[in-house]
Amino acid sequence: MASENTRKWAIIPEPNSMTVGEGTVLLPYAGRVNESIAIGDGDFLLAHQLVADIRSATGTDWDIATGDMWSGFIRLRIADSWDFDSQDGGTAGAYTLTINTDGITITSCDFEGVRNGVQTLRQLIRQNGAVLPVLQIEDAPAYRIRGYYLDATRGRVPTLAWLKQWADKLCLYKYNQLQLYIEHTFAFDGMSETWRGSSPLTPADTLEFDQYCANLGIELVPSVSTFGHQYVAMRTQELRELGEFPEDADRPFSFIERMRHHTLNVADDRAFAFSAQLVDSYLQLFRSKRFNICADETFDLGKGKSKQEAQRVGVATLYATYVGKLCEHLSKQGREPMFWGDIAIEMPEILETLPNNVTLLNWQYEPEATDEKIQLVAQAGAKQIVCPAVWGWNALLPRIDDAWNNIARIARYGLDCGAEGMLVTDWGDFGHVNDPRMAVPGMIFGAQYAWNPAGNTAENDLLERISRVEYGDCSARFVALLRNASAQAVFTWRELVEYLELDDDTGNCNTDVAQTIPCLADRLVDHLSDCGNAMTVREARNRMMRNMATTIERIPQANRALQQCMVDIAPIAAHMGNPGITAAVRIAMEGQLLLNRAGFALAEAHDVRDAHDAGDWRPSDYRALARELECWCEAYAKEWNATSQPSELHRIQETVWKAADELRRISK
């Protein structure tokens, strides 16, 4: 057996059973992959994946064939009989992989299993080239459904080319489901006022991507908001009357209000017609029988236009009736409804009304989450998929520790409670400032724990394996350095947005924003009763920055540590041969340095810091800092274009420009 300490390669997800033998196997310089036609891989995609990786790693070209008359050093097979069971008692996705001097054989009882075995072999080839270890693997997933959920609506719409790259990566790590989150960024007929200027995805994009995912063994599940999260639609001239608060439709755009005020008035019969139109047109573009209607965070339900109806029947009944009606509408068309479980869990009586074919998407994102909510759904007898998060939202750098803690816990809880799968979420709150490439470590955490939640995989060990497998980093330090850099985010994108949006664009304090900031929410009512006046912008910002005083003290030290991370990671990145991720990481780190400095300057402007103790950032430097922010924003925009359509990049830019203007103002 090879020692774990001396092995220079890794496999993610880690196989359940692996025996490493003595010696190595040299791949032929002119070999062949023989893929059985019984696998059902019509285009022989799996064989082509292996040939492409062999060419990339060794420079040699291999042949592809099928049938018993053709030899193959690598053989992909469907078993005549199968006695190896996966952890959930089934066989879906299970495979065996044998590497010895006689050749390489991958065997399974289904296409997905062969696909999974091929991905394991691809990882070995990428790390070892033509010289592979002798080994025997018997492997199977814990969760039947291993999905990824990507926000494609709240600021960033991915290009189709990048979506295909992401699907390729999900395949490599054995995911078998993908959902794109859509609010207003799809070109629905008759809704151009909603999606105009958002770089919407189109039916043609969806048909092409659905086929692409299917070829990779990934189910592309339609997901569209049909109840809450209708902020953009409810601000249009044509649809505003369907919202709970149509009188607010002309308020200035706000990242924070977009997260709070967005609920349909379901007491209006026209609301169901609107939702049904979205569902009926969207589902026709997908081969999946599943459909996610979302229906989460309906914060305004029963507070505006539907208040009278909510008082008559109750908010829980109002919610359950509408969701039940949508689920029935889907069921009649042979679809299996899914929706987010936050409202149903807050009002457990809703759980008792769910039809048998409905799956609850039980999201919990706390790093220290408990199993209480997952147990609650299991005890109610409802089908559920557990949903942790990659923790990238509202930030330039991913919170890797939080992602690992959250994903590892939720995966174990779900397995213990009989969940049908795990759906790892990747959100873009506050304009989707987070580069999607920054989510890769969190995505791979999800791959590992959806496959084997019960394993004792330490975080640092997994970071090293990700560095080797994903980034080709022989030092195995890249992801740990990225983790260390993210720990230096003191004044984040979220705090900058909160600070700026406390001004409602008329010079008055935006109380809707203030209510989302804990240090201000409790003070708003007290201030009005004490002074008889609403809190001013200056007072709100003062309180916010003073509440951060202890945190702000860390900024000089944090920036020194962040700069050291940049120094340490640069030579590693230079040898990885991946200029895309190198540029993305550099831009994110430089941006966080500037955010920290901006936070320090704003704190000083509110007398949280004394001018004589301001270090390198004195008032006379604020204009220079403003210029640095603007220059950084241009570089950030170029990186945005590497993965995304223009979509709402302009909102990110406008926020940075507002920050720069504020710095110039306080320098006077």
Side-chain angles (χ1 to χ4, degrees), residues 286-343:
F286 297 80
R287 68 192 67 203
S288 173
K289 293 299 182 183
R290 297 182 175 91
F291 196 107
N292 181 3
I293 61 173
C294 294
D296 58 317
E297 295 186 331
T298 52
F299 299 123
D300 291 334
L301 183 63
K303 296 179 180 178
K305 288 287 188 178
S306 69
K307 185 174 183 178
Q308 185 175 353
E309 181 66 8
Q311 290 173 339
R312 187 179 72 84
V313 302
V315 174
T317 298
L318 192 61
Y319 178 89
T321 300
Y322 194 76
V323 169
K325 192 175 178 181
L326 281 171
C327 290
E328 182 183 5
H329 182 75
L330 278 162
S331 298
K332 287 180 179 178
Q333 301 180 71
R335 304 291 167 147
E336 300 172 16
M338 315 168 88
F339 69 93
W340 298 109
D342 52 308
I343 305 300

Side-chain angles (χ1 to χ4, degrees), residues 45-105:
L45 174 70
L46 301 178
H48 283 290
Q49 284 182 329
L50 288 168
V51 167
D53 279 331
I54 290 169
R55 181 184 301 113
S56 178
T58 71
T60 59
D61 287 315
W62 277 41
D63 192 17
I64 292 172
T66 190
D68 296 337
M69 299 298 293
W70 296 93
S71 63
F73 192 80
I74 298 177
R75 299 172 292 275
L76 311 182
R77 295 286 177 261
I78 291 291
D80 294 329
S81 62
W82 188 259
D83 57 7
F84 174 58
D85 288 345
S86 65
Q87 293 181 19
D88 62 3
T91 58
Y95 70 93
T96 63
L97 167 62
T98 302
I99 302 177
N100 57 37
T101 53
D102 293 329
I104 300 170
T105 303

Side-chain angles (χ1 to χ4, degrees), residues 143 341 344-345 348 351-352 354 356 358-364 370-386 410 412-421:
Y143 282 115
I345 289 169
L351 293 174
E352 301 171 5
L354 296 179
N356 292 331
V358 172
T359 300
L360 206 70
L361 301 174
N362 195 348
W363 61 270
Q364 290 185 85
T370 69
D371 66 350
E372 181 180 359
K373 293 180 179 179
I374 298 172
Q375 289 274 12
L376 177 67
V377 175
Q379 291 165 5
K383 293 195 298 184
Q384 66 177 318
I385 290 175
V386 293
I410 296 301
R412 290 194 298 269
Y413 299 155
L415 187 67
D416 291 343
C417 293
E420 295 195 342

Side-chain angles (χ1 to χ4, degrees), residues 3-35:
S3 168
E4 289 284 346
N5 294 326
T6 59
R7 186 185 303 152
K8 298 302 182 184
W9 51 267
I11 298 169
I12 306 173
E14 191 171 17
N16 289 284
S17 173
M18 179 171 67
T19 302
V20 181
E22 296 292 335
T24 56
V25 173
L26 179 65
L27 293 177
Y29 67 86
R32 177 183 293 130
V33 179
N34 185 300
E35 179 178 351

